[in-house]
Amino acid sequence: MFPGWEDAALTAPDQGGAALATAAAPSASAAPAQPSVSNTPDKLNAASAPNDKTDKPAASDATSATAPAPPAKDKPVSVASSSPRVLVYHTHNRESYFPELKEGTKNASSKTINVTLVGKRLTASLQKLGIPALQEKMDYPTTISKFNYAYSYKYSKQTVVDALSENKELTYLLDIHRDSLKRNKTTVEIHGKNYAKILFVIGEKNPNWKDNKAFATKLHEALNAKFPGISRGVLTKAPGTGNAEYNQSLSKNSLVVEMGGVDNTLEENYRTADALAAVLHELDQNGKV
């Protein structure tokens, strides 16, 4: 979904120091063997690099649009919670999954069946665990006058700024996306069930990006300790490669979270949303983030 992946460094942080044990989570010994993840930075090649083609508007729409004014009057549609501590939102809200769309669909994009459903599940899971959460699911292509895909992060930044101003207790900002890689790269079987894999993305254009990466690393390690192989690691984007900021300067706990790929099902993503909620809850309760 992000152009310029070939310039991004993918690091899989050491998993040795963050093991968390719960009775409900499958153990590493019970899970099928997964490919090892290197602890050294790796370069993603152009052949495997995701791109934005499935989600972008036609070129004529993008080039003819003018620079956007922040959406001041249009209010996001929210799943409300009292004193929310987690904001779940979606910069590219129409990213979808082929198995959930009409057969023969060429672009994994939908106004109604999309990644916001995964965000809704994550929000509900967090609230069940006792962490008040808020989901903002504005449909930017219809809400923003002269919508331009290239300005997606400017639109969503205003959403986040508004949410922060109205909810002073917000601590974690999670921008949930869908990756464009194929199923063999974005699926893992754990204890006999398929889960959509997670990838955390950090932009180095944010001057405090190391704080955001530290947060992502803790989640990555804890996820793989409880659900072996579910996290693909932490991807860093250098300044000048894509947006490379991703609203992460707004909070040290602000992340882009890739949930699954174009070939994953909602059911697989829902399992992963539940797993992410459980891990964030445990780290939060133990004061580790």
Side-chain angles (χ1 to χ4, degrees):
M1 47 148 277
F2 294 106
W5 285 104
E6 63 272 13
D7 297 318
L10 177 62
T11 61
D14 183 9
Q15 300 176 20
L20 299 175
T22 64
S27 65
S29 60
Q34 300 299 325
S36 61
V37 182
S38 172
N39 289 324
T40 58
D42 188 18
K43 293 290 184 180
L44 295 178
N45 59 49
S48 64
N51 57 65
D52 282 329
K53 291 183 179 179
T54 60
D55 303 301
K56 284 185 177 179
S60 59
D61 293 335
T63 56
S64 63
T66 58
K73 296 182 179 180
D74 297 307
K75 299 297 292 181
V77 178
S78 306
V79 178
S81 166
S82 60
S83 302
R85 298 187 58 235
V86 181
L87 173 65
V88 176
Y89 72 105
H90 311 274
T91 295
H92 298 148
N93 63 285
R94 293 194 179 189
E95 290 175 334
S96 189
Y97 306 90
F98 282 127
E100 307 297 337
L101 303 177
K102 183 179 179 181
E103 186 175 355
T105 299
K106 300 299 182 183
N107 296 328
S109 178
S110 171
K111 183 178 178 180
T112 56
I113 304 174
N114 53 48
V115 72
T116 65
L117 296 175
V118 181
K120 181 178 180 181
R121 176 62 170 251
L122 175 61
T123 303
S125 295
L126 287 166
Q127 298 202 99
K128 286 180 180 178
L129 292 169
I131 298 184
L134 170 74
Q135 183 189 21
E136 301 283 16
K137 48 183 181 180
M138 179 183 286
D139 182 48
Y140 296 106
T142 56
T143 303
I144 303 298
S145 177
K146 297 182 179 180
F147 171 81
N148 185 338
Y149 188 91
Y151 297 125
S152 293
Y153 283 95
K154 291 186 179 181
Y155 307 142
S156 64
K157 182 176 184 178
Q158 188 61 50
T159 297
V160 177
V161 168
D162 288 346
L164 287 170
S165 68
E166 296 170 5
N167 303 278
K168 303 302 183 182
E169 301 300 317
L170 281 176
T171 305
Y172 307 107
L173 312 177
L174 305 179
D175 187 6
I176 308 300
H177 292 248
R178 180 267 298 145
D179 207 335
S180 58
L181 291 179
K182 303 298 287 183
R183 183 175 181 82
N184 64 327
K185 301 290 186 181
T186 63
T187 313
V188 61
E189 183 180 327
I190 303 172
H191 211 57
K193 294 183 178 181
N194 287 329
Y195 288 71
K197 288 188 178 182
I198 284 181
L199 176 70
F200 299 100
V201 182
I202 302 298
E204 295 182 2
K205 191 174 180 179
N206 165 26
N208 301 311
W209 67 270
K210 290 183 179 179
D211 291 332
N212 302 76
K213 184 178 180 181
F215 175 42
T217 299
K218 290 176 182 178
L219 287 173
H220 161 78
E221 292 175 344
L223 278 163
N224 276 351
K226 294 178 67 175
F227 304 90
I230 197 172
S231 175
R232 293 163 52 201
V234 180
L235 183 74
T236 57
K237 295 289 294 293
T241 58
N243 179 276
E245 196 274 338
Y246 308 126
N247 304 330
Q248 291 170 359
S249 60
L250 297 175
S251 169
K252 68 179 182 179
N253 294 325
S254 177
L255 300 176
V256 166
V257 185
E258 299 276 4
M259 301 275 282
V262 292
D263 296 325
N264 286 107
T265 66
L266 283 174
E267 182 179 15
E268 292 163 348
N269 277 283
Y270 291 161
R271 291 188 186 114
T272 300
D274 292 345
L276 178 58
V279 164
L280 180 56
H281 172 260
E282 188 160 347
L283 289 176
D284 178 77
Q285 292 296 300
N286 293 333
K288 295 184 177 180
V289 290

